[in-house]
Amino acid sequence: SNGVCINSTGYSVSYRGFNSGNSNVSTTNCIGISTSDLGFYFGNGGVHYNPTCISSSSTAAYIVGTVYIYSLTAVSSTSQPVYSSASGAYIFGANIVCGWNNASGYGVNGASNATFLGALTNTTIKCSNGSAPYLYNGGVATSLAMTGNTYRGGTTFNANITNTVSNTQDSQGNIYH
């Protein structure tokens, strides 16, 4: 349901560290930590500022709907740090770290969803395995806006993921996507 949560921490040894619910909950400076499940669950709707998502046994940031996330930190030691099943998920400025040294230790996983992200900008993704793709969605063709990102430790994302940012400036120096 609708609401706002500010400066809160959720910690769980048996379920999600932080659950933003299923619709229109916005957060600022919230932390979700779990040792047995998702670090932070982002439901449909809402705007999230400075969320920190940590999981030592599952996905750190689990996104299921249209959300806007600014300054995300997502760290997982045994799974992908970010999972998104939503075309309306927009991530602006993030530090995404996968500590799982496995070829399936993706930075962001879209799980065969053709539209798993709308935008990913000014983000650093670090994978622990040189064979792990930074972005993965099961090989399904998709396109999203990507700009200003840094990738370390893994390998390129699937060939079927296309960047919609043209990188061609107009006469005023603007780039559209």
Side-chain angles (χ1 to χ4, degrees), residues 116-138:
F116 69 106
L117 285 176
L120 181 69
T121 65
N122 300 318
T123 293
T124 297
I125 298 177
K126 183 181 182 309
C127 295
S128 293
N129 187 289
S131 298
Y134 301 109
L135 303 175
Y136 183 79
N137 69 330

Side-chain angles (χ1 to χ4, degrees), residues 30-137:
C30 292
I31 301 169
I33 302 169
S34 180
T35 59
S36 66
D37 199 2
L38 308 174
F40 203 120
Y41 177 90
F42 296 93
N44 191 38
V47 178
H48 305 275
Y49 299 98
N50 305 313
T52 299
C53 315
I54 301 170
S55 179
S56 59
S57 66
S58 186
T59 299
Y62 193 91
I63 305 166
V64 297
T66 301
V67 295
Y68 294 86
I69 303 172
Y70 298 88
S71 301
L72 167 73
T73 298
V75 180
S76 180
S77 54
T78 59
S79 185
Q80 68 267 346
V82 177
Y83 173 90
S84 176
S85 64
S87 61
Y90 296 86
I91 299 173
F92 305 102
N95 188 18
I96 297 170
V97 179
C98 184
W100 186 28
N101 188 6
N102 185 290
S104 295
Y106 321 122
V108 178
N109 184 6
S112 302
N113 189 327
T115 54
F116 69 106
L117 285 176
L120 181 69
T121 65
N122 300 318
T123 293
T124 297
I125 298 177
K126 183 181 182 309
C127 295
S128 293
N129 187 289
S131 298
Y134 301 109
L135 303 175
Y136 183 79
N137 69 330

